[in-house]
PDB file of all heavy atoms in Angstrom:
ATOM      1  N   GLY A  74       0.836  -1.211   0.034  1.00 98.00           N
ATOM      2  CA  GLY A  74       0.001   0.001  -0.053  1.00 98.00           C
ATOM      3  C   GLY A  74       0.873   1.248   0.024  1.00 98.00           C
ATOM      4  O   GLY A  74       0.438   2.272   0.563  1.00 98.00           O
ATOM      5  N   LEU A  75       1.976   1.245  -0.715  1.00 98.00           N
ATOM      6  CA  LEU A  75       2.828   2.387  -0.761  1.00 98.00           C
ATOM      7  C   LEU A  75       2.286   3.378  -1.736  1.00 98.00           C
ATOM      8  O   LEU A  75       1.731   2.922  -2.820  1.00 98.00           O
ATOM      9  CB  LEU A  75       4.242   1.968  -1.215  1.00 98.00           C
ATOM     10  CG  LEU A  75       4.928   0.953  -0.277  1.00 98.00           C
ATOM     11  CD1 LEU A  75       6.334   0.616  -0.809  1.00 98.00           C
ATOM     12  CD2 LEU A  75       5.093   1.436   1.161  1.00 98.00           C
ATOM     13  N   ARG A  76       2.567   4.690  -1.513  1.00 98.00           N
ATOM     14  CA  ARG A  76       2.121   5.691  -2.410  1.00 98.00           C
ATOM     15  C   ARG A  76       2.825   5.684  -3.859  1.00 98.00           C
ATOM     16  O   ARG A  76       2.275   6.207  -4.757  1.00 98.00           O
ATOM     17  CB  ARG A  76       2.385   7.150  -1.823  1.00 98.00           C
ATOM     18  CG  ARG A  76       1.435   7.385  -0.666  1.00 98.00           C
ATOM     19  CD  ARG A  76       1.868   8.631   0.061  1.00 98.00           C
ATOM     20  NE  ARG A  76       2.088   9.800  -0.777  1.00 98.00           N
ATOM     21  CZ  ARG A  76       1.224  10.783  -0.861  1.00 98.00           C
ATOM     22  NH1 ARG A  76       0.051  10.772  -0.308  1.00 98.00           N
ATOM     23  NH2 ARG A  76       1.511  11.733  -1.630  1.00 98.00           N
ATOM     24  N   SER A  77       4.040   5.162  -3.843  1.00 98.00           N
ATOM     25  CA  SER A  77       4.780   5.166  -5.127  1.00 98.00           C
ATOM     26  C   SER A  77       5.798   3.998  -5.074  1.00 98.00           C
ATOM     27  O   SER A  77       6.145   3.522  -4.058  1.00 98.00           O
ATOM     28  CB  SER A  77       5.609   6.516  -5.138  1.00 98.00           C
ATOM     29  OG  SER A  77       6.550   6.550  -6.110  1.00 98.00           O
ATOM     30  N   ALA A  78       6.310   3.710  -6.236  1.00 98.00           N
ATOM     31  CA  ALA A  78       7.420   2.713  -6.385  1.00 98.00           C
ATOM     32  C   ALA A  78       8.632   3.296  -6.367  1.00 98.00           C
ATOM     33  O   ALA A  78       9.800   2.694  -6.478  1.00 98.00           O
ATOM     34  CB  ALA A  78       7.195   1.920  -7.713  1.00 98.00           C
ATOM     35  N   CYS A  79       8.739   4.536  -5.992  1.00 98.00           N
ATOM     36  CA  CYS A  79       9.991   5.207  -5.711  1.00 98.00           C
ATOM     37  C   CYS A  79      10.096   5.346  -4.186  1.00 98.00           C
ATOM     38  O   CYS A  79       9.460   6.104  -3.629  1.00 98.00           O
ATOM     39  CB  CYS A  79      10.073   6.706  -6.290  1.00 98.00           C
ATOM     40  SG  CYS A  79      11.481   7.566  -5.940  1.00 98.00           S
ATOM     41  N   PHE A  80      10.783   4.409  -3.614  1.00 98.00           N
ATOM     42  CA  PHE A  80      10.795   4.267  -2.151  1.00 98.00           C
ATOM     43  C   PHE A  80      12.138   3.738  -1.657  1.00 98.00           C
ATOM     44  O   PHE A  80      12.917   3.084  -2.433  1.00 98.00           O
ATOM     45  CB  PHE A  80       9.703   3.323  -1.635  1.00 98.00           C
ATOM     46  CG  PHE A  80       9.734   1.976  -2.149  1.00 98.00           C
ATOM     47  CD1 PHE A  80      10.495   0.972  -1.445  1.00 98.00           C
ATOM     48  CD2 PHE A  80       9.100   1.601  -3.269  1.00 98.00           C
ATOM     49  CE1 PHE A  80      10.568  -0.303  -1.853  1.00 98.00           C
ATOM     50  CE2 PHE A  80       9.157   0.244  -3.684  1.00 98.00           C
ATOM     51  CZ  PHE A  80       9.887  -0.631  -3.025  1.00 98.00           C
ATOM     52  N   THR A  81      12.359   3.982  -0.408  1.00 98.00           N
ATOM     53  CA  THR A  81      13.475   3.375   0.338  1.00 98.00           C
ATOM     54  C   THR A  81      12.862   2.622   1.540  1.00 98.00           C
ATOM     55  O   THR A  81      11.717   2.893   2.033  1.00 98.00           O
ATOM     56  CB  THR A  81      14.542   4.389   0.878  1.00 98.00           C
ATOM     57  OG1 THR A  81      13.764   5.261   1.738  1.00 98.00           O
ATOM     58  CG2 THR A  81      15.048   5.145  -0.295  1.00 98.00           C
ATOM     59  N   VAL A  82      13.618   1.665   2.041  1.00 98.00           N
ATOM     60  CA  VAL A  82      13.181   0.855   3.166  1.00 98.00           C
ATOM     61  C   VAL A  82      14.244   0.862   4.252  1.00 98.00           C
ATOM     62  O   VAL A  82      15.496   0.715   4.049  1.00 98.00           O
ATOM     63  CB  VAL A  82      12.983  -0.709   2.754  1.00 98.00           C
ATOM     64  CG1 VAL A  82      12.504  -1.455   4.009  1.00 98.00           C
ATOM     65  CG2 VAL A  82      12.092  -0.853   1.611  1.00 98.00           C
ATOM     66  N   GLN A  83      13.880   1.207   5.482  1.00 98.00           N
ATOM     67  CA  GLN A  83      14.705   1.112   6.690  1.00 98.00           C
ATOM     68  C   GLN A  83      14.016   0.285   7.714  1.00 98.00           C
ATOM     69  O   GLN A  83      12.811   0.445   7.881  1.00 98.00           O
ATOM     70  CB  GLN A  83      15.009   2.520   7.160  1.00 98.00           C
ATOM     71  CG  GLN A  83      15.893   3.270   6.240  1.00 98.00           C
ATOM     72  CD  GLN A  83      16.267   4.666   6.892  1.00 98.00           C
ATOM     73  OE1 GLN A  83      15.437   5.331   7.443  1.00 98.00           O
ATOM     74  NE2 GLN A  83      17.461   5.036   6.775  1.00 98.00           N
ATOM     75  N   TYR A  84      14.808  -0.500   8.478  1.00 98.00           N
ATOM     76  CA  TYR A  84      14.251  -1.230   9.555  1.00 98.00           C
ATOM     77  C   TYR A  84      14.984  -0.815  10.867  1.00 98.00           C
ATOM     78  O   TYR A  84      16.175  -0.569  10.873  1.00 98.00           O
ATOM     79  CB  TYR A  84      14.572  -2.736   9.366  1.00 98.00           C
ATOM     80  CG  TYR A  84      14.126  -3.609  10.523  1.00 98.00           C
ATOM     81  CD1 TYR A  84      12.768  -3.836  10.735  1.00 98.00           C
ATOM     82  CD2 TYR A  84      15.018  -4.064  11.538  1.00 98.00           C
ATOM     83  CE1 TYR A  84      12.357  -4.555  11.807  1.00 98.00           C
ATOM     84  CE2 TYR A  84      14.640  -4.837  12.572  1.00 98.00           C
ATOM     85  CZ  TYR A  84      13.276  -5.080  12.714  1.00 98.00           C
ATOM     86  OH  TYR A  84      12.886  -5.797  13.763  1.00 98.00           O
ATOM     87  N   GLN A  85      14.158  -0.578  11.871  1.00 97.00           N
ATOM     88  CA  GLN A  85      14.673  -0.141  13.171  1.00 97.00           C
ATOM     89  C   GLN A  85      13.754  -0.357  14.285  1.00 97.00           C
ATOM     90  O   GLN A  85      12.556  -0.074  14.226  1.00 97.00           O
ATOM     91  CB  GLN A  85      14.948   1.424  13.093  1.00 97.00           C
ATOM     92  CG  GLN A  85      15.662   1.886  14.259  1.00 97.00           C
ATOM     93  CD  GLN A  85      15.953   3.511  14.118  1.00 97.00           C
ATOM     94  OE1 GLN A  85      15.452   4.180  13.331  1.00 97.00           O
ATOM     95  NE2 GLN A  85      16.872   3.950  14.971  1.00 97.00           N
ATOM     96  N   ASN A  86      14.234  -1.093  15.398  1.00 96.00           N
ATOM     97  CA  ASN A  86      13.463  -1.364  16.502  1.00 96.00           C
ATOM     98  C   ASN A  86      12.108  -1.930  16.287  1.00 96.00           C
ATOM     99  O   ASN A  86      11.106  -1.447  16.883  1.00 96.00           O
ATOM    100  CB  ASN A  86      13.313  -0.043  17.374  1.00 96.00           C
ATOM    101  CG  ASN A  86      14.657   0.595  17.805  1.00 96.00           C
ATOM    102  OD1 ASN A  86      15.598  -0.171  18.074  1.00 96.00           O
ATOM    103  ND2 ASN A  86      14.691   1.891  17.798  1.00 96.00           N
ATOM    104  N   GLY A  87      12.073  -2.945  15.348  1.00 96.00           N
ATOM    105  CA  GLY A  87      10.842  -3.682  15.230  1.00 96.00           C
ATOM    106  C   GLY A  87       9.926  -3.028  14.254  1.00 96.00           C
ATOM    107  O   GLY A  87       8.793  -3.653  14.015  1.00 96.00           O
ATOM    108  N   SER A  88      10.279  -1.980  13.532  1.00 98.00           N
ATOM    109  CA  SER A  88       9.454  -1.412  12.601  1.00 98.00           C
ATOM    110  C   SER A  88      10.138  -1.130  11.206  1.00 98.00           C
ATOM    111  O   SER A  88      11.349  -0.810  11.187  1.00 98.00           O
ATOM    112  CB  SER A  88       8.904   0.002  13.047  1.00 98.00           C
ATOM    113  OG  SER A  88       8.039  -0.237  14.099  1.00 98.00           O
ATOM    114  N   PHE A  89       9.407  -1.153  10.187  1.00 98.00           N
ATOM    115  CA  PHE A  89       9.944  -0.766   8.801  1.00 98.00           C
ATOM    116  C   PHE A  89       9.418   0.573   8.455  1.00 98.00           C
ATOM    117  O   PHE A  89       8.247   0.961   8.755  1.00 98.00           O
ATOM    118  CB  PHE A  89       9.405  -1.691   7.798  1.00 98.00           C
ATOM    119  CG  PHE A  89      10.077  -3.062   7.795  1.00 98.00           C
ATOM    120  CD1 PHE A  89       9.508  -4.203   8.597  1.00 98.00           C
ATOM    121  CD2 PHE A  89      11.299  -3.317   7.226  1.00 98.00           C
ATOM    122  CE1 PHE A  89      10.098  -5.383   8.597  1.00 98.00           C
ATOM    123  CE2 PHE A  89      11.935  -4.479   7.297  1.00 98.00           C
ATOM    124  CZ  PHE A  89      11.413  -5.607   7.957  1.00 98.00           C
ATOM    125  N   PHE A  90      10.335   1.439   7.973  1.00 98.00           N
ATOM    126  CA  PHE A  90       9.994   2.823   7.478  1.00 98.00           C
ATOM    127  C   PHE A  90      10.215   2.790   5.979  1.00 98.00           C
ATOM    128  O   PHE A  90      11.246   2.613   5.412  1.00 98.00           O
ATOM    129  CB  PHE A  90      10.906   3.798   8.212  1.00 98.00           C
ATOM    130  CG  PHE A  90      10.766   3.742   9.731  1.00 98.00           C
ATOM    131  CD1 PHE A  90      11.657   2.913  10.393  1.00 98.00           C
ATOM    132  CD2 PHE A  90       9.890   4.490  10.278  1.00 98.00           C
ATOM    133  CE1 PHE A  90      11.480   2.754  11.819  1.00 98.00           C
ATOM    134  CE2 PHE A  90       9.795   4.431  11.699  1.00 98.00           C
ATOM    135  CZ  PHE A  90      10.620   3.633  12.439  1.00 98.00           C
ATOM    136  N   PHE A  91       9.140   2.920   5.240  1.00 98.00           N
ATOM    137  CA  PHE A  91       9.046   3.031   3.826  1.00 98.00           C
ATOM    138  C   PHE A  91       8.820   4.487   3.480  1.00 98.00           C
ATOM    139  O   PHE A  91       7.701   5.068   3.636  1.00 98.00           O
ATOM    140  CB  PHE A  91       7.868   2.175   3.218  1.00 98.00           C
ATOM    141  CG  PHE A  91       8.016   0.681   3.560  1.00 98.00           C
ATOM    142  CD1 PHE A  91       7.401   0.122   4.639  1.00 98.00           C
ATOM    143  CD2 PHE A  91       8.740  -0.125   2.741  1.00 98.00           C
ATOM    144  CE1 PHE A  91       7.551  -1.197   5.028  1.00 98.00           C
ATOM    145  CE2 PHE A  91       8.860  -1.487   3.073  1.00 98.00           C
ATOM    146  CZ  PHE A  91       8.257  -1.987   4.185  1.00 98.00           C
ATOM    147  N   THR A  92       9.872   5.084   2.861  1.00 98.00           N
ATOM    148  CA  THR A  92       9.739   6.499   2.498  1.00 98.00           C
ATOM    149  C   THR A  92       9.535   6.523   1.027  1.00 98.00           C
ATOM    150  O   THR A  92      10.447   6.129   0.204  1.00 98.00           O
ATOM    151  CB  THR A  92      11.014   7.268   2.947  1.00 98.00           C
ATOM    152  OG1 THR A  92      11.109   7.173   4.411  1.00 98.00           O
ATOM    153  CG2 THR A  92      10.930   8.789   2.504  1.00 98.00           C
ATOM    154  N   THR A  93       8.434   7.118   0.612  1.00 98.00           N
ATOM    155  CA  THR A  93       8.080   7.233  -0.811  1.00 98.00           C
ATOM    156  C   THR A  93       8.272   8.701  -1.264  1.00 98.00           C
ATOM    157  O   THR A  93       8.191   9.557  -0.463  1.00 98.00           O
ATOM    158  CB  THR A  93       6.630   6.818  -1.062  1.00 98.00           C
ATOM    159  OG1 THR A  93       5.736   7.558  -0.278  1.00 98.00           O
ATOM    160  CG2 THR A  93       6.433   5.310  -0.711  1.00 98.00           C
ATOM    161  N   ARG A  94       8.562   8.758  -2.607  1.00 98.00           N
ATOM    162  CA  ARG A  94       8.619  10.076  -3.240  1.00 98.00           C
ATOM    163  C   ARG A  94       7.603  10.067  -4.467  1.00 98.00           C
ATOM    164  O   ARG A  94       7.688   9.085  -5.237  1.00 98.00           O
ATOM    165  CB  ARG A  94      10.028  10.379  -3.728  1.00 98.00           C
ATOM    166  CG  ARG A  94      10.923  10.732  -2.570  1.00 98.00           C
ATOM    167  CD  ARG A  94      12.414  10.783  -2.981  1.00 98.00           C
ATOM    168  NE  ARG A  94      13.217  10.761  -1.842  1.00 98.00           N
ATOM    169  CZ  ARG A  94      13.576   9.674  -1.071  1.00 98.00           C
ATOM    170  NH1 ARG A  94      13.182   8.491  -1.564  1.00 98.00           N
ATOM    171  NH2 ARG A  94      14.274   9.771  -0.063  1.00 98.00           N
ATOM    172  N   GLY A  95       6.693  10.990  -4.461  1.00 98.00           N
ATOM    173  CA  GLY A  95       5.666  10.979  -5.490  1.00 98.00           C
ATOM    174  C   GLY A  95       4.441  10.164  -5.008  1.00 98.00           C
ATOM    175  O   GLY A  95       4.456   9.726  -3.937  1.00 98.00           O
ATOM    176  N   TYR A  96       3.431  10.113  -5.896  1.00 98.00           N
ATOM    177  CA  TYR A  96       2.196   9.417  -5.594  1.00 98.00           C
ATOM    178  C   TYR A  96       1.560   8.950  -6.862  1.00 98.00           C
ATOM    179  O   TYR A  96       1.214   9.734  -7.755  1.00 98.00           O
ATOM    180  CB  TYR A  96       1.282  10.397  -4.868  1.00 98.00           C
ATOM    181  CG  TYR A  96      -0.020   9.748  -4.186  1.00 98.00           C
ATOM    182  CD1 TYR A  96      -0.171   8.452  -4.172  1.00 98.00           C
ATOM    183  CD2 TYR A  96      -1.066  10.604  -3.838  1.00 98.00           C
ATOM    184  CE1 TYR A  96      -1.315   7.859  -3.665  1.00 98.00           C
ATOM    185  CE2 TYR A  96      -2.137  10.049  -3.224  1.00 98.00           C
ATOM    186  CZ  TYR A  96      -2.397   8.738  -3.061  1.00 98.00           C
ATOM    187  OH  TYR A  96      -3.399   8.155  -2.646  1.00 98.00           O
ATOM    188  N   GLY A  97       1.504   7.623  -6.962  1.00 97.00           N
ATOM    189  CA  GLY A  97       0.924   6.972  -8.258  1.00 97.00           C
ATOM    190  C   GLY A  97       1.972   6.213  -8.899  1.00 97.00           C
ATOM    191  O   GLY A  97       3.090   6.052  -8.475  1.00 97.00           O
ATOM    192  N   HIS A  98       1.556   5.613 -10.096  1.00 97.00           N
ATOM    193  CA  HIS A  98       2.319   4.706 -10.853  1.00 97.00           C
ATOM    194  C   HIS A  98       3.545   5.408 -11.606  1.00 97.00           C
ATOM    195  O   HIS A  98       4.477   4.831 -11.928  1.00 97.00           O
ATOM    196  CB  HIS A  98       1.538   3.941 -11.865  1.00 97.00           C
ATOM    197  CG  HIS A  98       0.614   4.645 -12.685  1.00 97.00           C
ATOM    198  ND1 HIS A  98       1.010   5.596 -13.680  1.00 97.00           N
ATOM    199  CD2 HIS A  98      -0.760   4.730 -12.694  1.00 97.00           C
ATOM    200  CE1 HIS A  98      -0.033   6.054 -14.285  1.00 97.00           C
ATOM    201  NE2 HIS A  98      -1.123   5.661 -13.626  1.00 97.00           N
ATOM    202  N   GLY A  99       3.354   6.668 -11.859  1.00 98.00           N
ATOM    203  CA  GLY A  99       4.449   7.478 -12.494  1.00 98.00           C
ATOM    204  C   GLY A  99       4.553   7.503 -14.040  1.00 98.00           C
ATOM    205  O   GLY A  99       5.406   8.092 -14.584  1.00 98.00           O
ATOM    206  N   VAL A 100       3.584   6.831 -14.591  1.00 98.00           N
ATOM    207  CA  VAL A 100       3.578   6.693 -16.113  1.00 98.00           C
ATOM    208  C   VAL A 100       2.672   7.750 -16.727  1.00 98.00           C
ATOM    209  O   VAL A 100       1.474   7.787 -16.312  1.00 98.00           O
ATOM    210  CB  VAL A 100       3.132   5.294 -16.585  1.00 98.00           C
ATOM    211  CG1 VAL A 100       3.189   5.164 -18.172  1.00 98.00           C
ATOM    212  CG2 VAL A 100       4.115   4.222 -16.056  1.00 98.00           C
ATOM    213  N   GLY A 101       3.203   8.527 -17.673  1.00 98.00           N
ATOM    214  CA  GLY A 101       2.335   9.420 -18.369  1.00 98.00           C
ATOM    215  C   GLY A 101       2.411  10.853 -17.765  1.00 98.00           C
ATOM    216  O   GLY A 101       3.511  11.424 -17.572  1.00 98.00           O
ATOM    217  N   MET A 102       1.252  11.380 -17.534  1.00 98.00           N
ATOM    218  CA  MET A 102       1.207  12.874 -17.054  1.00 98.00           C
ATOM    219  C   MET A 102       0.977  12.965 -15.580  1.00 98.00           C
ATOM    220  O   MET A 102       0.097  12.383 -15.016  1.00 98.00           O
ATOM    221  CB  MET A 102       0.079  13.537 -17.824  1.00 98.00           C
ATOM    222  CG  MET A 102       0.001  15.060 -17.461  1.00 98.00           C
ATOM    223  SD  MET A 102      -1.264  15.992 -18.438  1.00 98.00           S
ATOM    224  CE  MET A 102      -2.687  15.235 -17.824  1.00 98.00           C
ATOM    225  N   SER A 103       1.840  13.727 -15.003  1.00 98.00           N
ATOM    226  CA  SER A 103       1.702  14.113 -13.527  1.00 98.00           C
ATOM    227  C   SER A 103       0.779  15.222 -13.495  1.00 98.00           C
ATOM    228  O   SER A 103       0.890  16.302 -14.113  1.00 98.00           O
ATOM    229  CB  SER A 103       3.052  14.579 -13.071  1.00 98.00           C
ATOM    230  OG  SER A 103       2.854  15.302 -11.794  1.00 98.00           O
ATOM    231  N   GLN A 104      -0.291  14.961 -12.643  1.00 98.00           N
ATOM    232  CA  GLN A 104      -1.301  16.099 -12.445  1.00 98.00           C
ATOM    233  C   GLN A 104      -0.696  17.293 -11.864  1.00 98.00           C
ATOM    234  O   GLN A 104      -1.010  18.388 -12.262  1.00 98.00           O
ATOM    235  CB  GLN A 104      -2.469  15.560 -11.619  1.00 98.00           C
ATOM    236  CG  GLN A 104      -3.282  14.480 -12.342  1.00 98.00           C
ATOM    237  CD  GLN A 104      -4.286  13.782 -11.498  1.00 98.00           C
ATOM    238  OE1 GLN A 104      -3.969  13.296 -10.375  1.00 98.00           O
ATOM    239  NE2 GLN A 104      -5.626  13.883 -11.963  1.00 98.00           N
ATOM    240  N   TRP A 105       0.196  17.116 -10.792  1.00 97.00           N
ATOM    241  CA  TRP A 105       0.799  18.259 -10.228  1.00 97.00           C
ATOM    242  C   TRP A 105       1.660  18.941 -11.206  1.00 97.00           C
ATOM    243  O   TRP A 105       1.658  20.173 -11.270  1.00 97.00           O
ATOM    244  CB  TRP A 105       1.582  17.760  -8.963  1.00 97.00           C
ATOM    245  CG  TRP A 105       2.294  18.883  -8.295  1.00 97.00           C
ATOM    246  CD1 TRP A 105       3.498  19.411  -8.640  1.00 97.00           C
ATOM    247  CD2 TRP A 105       1.800  19.686  -7.216  1.00 97.00           C
ATOM    248  NE1 TRP A 105       3.815  20.480  -7.857  1.00 97.00           N
ATOM    249  CE2 TRP A 105       2.727  20.672  -6.964  1.00 97.00           C
ATOM    250  CE3 TRP A 105       0.636  19.619  -6.442  1.00 97.00           C
ATOM    251  CZ2 TRP A 105       2.668  21.603  -5.955  1.00 97.00           C
ATOM    252  CZ3 TRP A 105       0.492  20.639  -5.468  1.00 97.00           C
ATOM    253  CH2 TRP A 105       1.416  21.562  -5.239  1.00 97.00           C
ATOM    254  N   GLY A 106       2.422  18.278 -11.938  1.00 98.00           N
ATOM    255  CA  GLY A 106       3.284  18.883 -12.956  1.00 98.00           C
ATOM    256  C   GLY A 106       2.555  19.533 -14.008  1.00 98.00           C
ATOM    257  O   GLY A 106       2.951  20.652 -14.408  1.00 98.00           O
ATOM    258  N   ALA A 107       1.437  19.042 -14.504  1.00 98.00           N
ATOM    259  CA  ALA A 107       0.588  19.671 -15.493  1.00 98.00           C
ATOM    260  C   ALA A 107       0.121  20.971 -14.968  1.00 98.00           C
ATOM    261  O   ALA A 107       0.025  22.028 -15.632  1.00 98.00           O
ATOM    262  CB  ALA A 107      -0.543  18.750 -15.958  1.00 98.00           C
ATOM    263  N   ARG A 108      -0.377  20.947 -13.713  1.00 97.00           N
ATOM    264  CA  ARG A 108      -0.864  22.207 -13.058  1.00 97.00           C
ATOM    265  C   ARG A 108       0.202  23.224 -13.055  1.00 97.00           C
ATOM    266  O   ARG A 108      -0.002  24.411 -13.355  1.00 97.00           O
ATOM    267  CB  ARG A 108      -1.352  21.900 -11.667  1.00 97.00           C
ATOM    268  CG  ARG A 108      -1.808  23.098 -10.964  1.00 97.00           C
ATOM    269  CD  ARG A 108      -2.279  22.680  -9.556  1.00 97.00           C
ATOM    270  NE  ARG A 108      -2.147  23.806  -8.713  1.00 97.00           N
ATOM    271  CZ  ARG A 108      -2.037  23.792  -7.414  1.00 97.00           C
ATOM    272  NH1 ARG A 108      -1.981  22.665  -6.759  1.00 97.00           N
ATOM    273  NH2 ARG A 108      -1.862  24.893  -6.695  1.00 97.00           N
ATOM    274  N   ALA A 109       1.469  22.862 -12.602  1.00 97.00           N
ATOM    275  CA  ALA A 109       2.521  23.758 -12.447  1.00 97.00           C
ATOM    276  C   ALA A 109       2.909  24.342 -13.830  1.00 97.00           C
ATOM    277  O   ALA A 109       3.130  25.588 -14.048  1.00 97.00           O
ATOM    278  CB  ALA A 109       3.718  23.043 -11.917  1.00 97.00           C
ATOM    279  N   LEU A 110       2.958  23.547 -14.885  1.00 97.00           N
ATOM    280  CA  LEU A 110       3.212  23.969 -16.241  1.00 97.00           C
ATOM    281  C   LEU A 110       2.163  25.005 -16.727  1.00 97.00           C
ATOM    282  O   LEU A 110       2.381  25.962 -17.427  1.00 97.00           O
ATOM    283  CB  LEU A 110       3.378  22.829 -17.231  1.00 97.00           C
ATOM    284  CG  LEU A 110       4.548  21.947 -16.981  1.00 97.00           C
ATOM    285  CD1 LEU A 110       4.569  20.813 -18.057  1.00 97.00           C
ATOM    286  CD2 LEU A 110       5.910  22.741 -17.088  1.00 97.00           C
ATOM    287  N   ALA A 111       0.864  24.709 -16.450  1.00 97.00           N
ATOM    288  CA  ALA A 111      -0.251  25.645 -16.751  1.00 97.00           C
ATOM    289  C   ALA A 111      -0.073  27.013 -15.988  1.00 97.00           C
ATOM    290  O   ALA A 111      -0.185  28.011 -16.577  1.00 97.00           O
ATOM    291  CB  ALA A 111      -1.586  25.027 -16.386  1.00 97.00           C
ATOM    292  N   GLU A 112       0.392  26.899 -14.756  1.00 97.00           N
ATOM    293  CA  GLU A 112       0.565  28.164 -14.024  1.00 97.00           C
ATOM    294  C   GLU A 112       1.787  28.975 -14.558  1.00 97.00           C
ATOM    295  O   GLU A 112       1.814  30.205 -14.352  1.00 97.00           O
ATOM    296  CB  GLU A 112       0.789  27.833 -12.510  1.00 97.00           C
ATOM    297  CG  GLU A 112      -0.530  27.414 -11.814  1.00 97.00           C
ATOM    298  CD  GLU A 112      -0.300  26.815 -10.346  1.00 97.00           C
ATOM    299  OE1 GLU A 112       0.876  26.656  -9.964  1.00 97.00           O
ATOM    300  OE2 GLU A 112      -1.274  26.660  -9.749  1.00 97.00           O
ATOM    301  N   GLN A 113       2.718  28.295 -15.270  1.00 97.00           N
ATOM    302  CA  GLN A 113       3.767  28.936 -15.895  1.00 97.00           C
ATOM    303  C   GLN A 113       3.434  29.524 -17.216  1.00 97.00           C
ATOM    304  O   GLN A 113       4.295  30.073 -17.922  1.00 97.00           O
ATOM    305  CB  GLN A 113       4.948  27.999 -16.020  1.00 97.00           C
ATOM    306  CG  GLN A 113       5.563  27.578 -14.696  1.00 97.00           C
ATOM    307  CD  GLN A 113       6.657  26.406 -14.825  1.00 97.00           C
ATOM    308  OE1 GLN A 113       7.010  26.147 -16.017  1.00 97.00           O
ATOM    309  NE2 GLN A 113       7.078  25.838 -13.727  1.00 97.00           N
ATOM    310  N   GLY A 114       2.236  29.269 -17.731  1.00 98.00           N
ATOM    311  CA  GLY A 114       1.745  29.823 -18.944  1.00 98.00           C
ATOM    312  C   GLY A 114       1.677  28.778 -20.156  1.00 98.00           C
ATOM    313  O   GLY A 114       1.295  29.225 -21.183  1.00 98.00           O
TER     314      GLY A 114
END
């Protein structure tokens, strides 16, 4: 149930820490990126 396949895994004191970057499968158009490009004109 990770937000992205761009992640790191760390284990410490009985817990795993999955740090993700981004949200979604990553293929095609980023909604956030499209919005930013539109705001840039």
Side-chain angles (χ1 to χ4, degrees):
L75 303 178
R76 289 170 50 101
S77 169
C79 179
F80 62 87
T81 58
V82 182
Q83 291 184 314
Y84 177 75
Q85 186 176 18
N86 299 326
S88 292
F89 286 96
F90 301 90
F91 299 91
T92 300
T93 58
R94 288 171 193 81
Y96 189 11
H98 50 68
V100 180
M102 184 173 66
S103 162
Q104 291 173 306
W105 180 274
R108 176 182 157 206
L110 293 177
E112 288 171 349
Q113 294 171 8

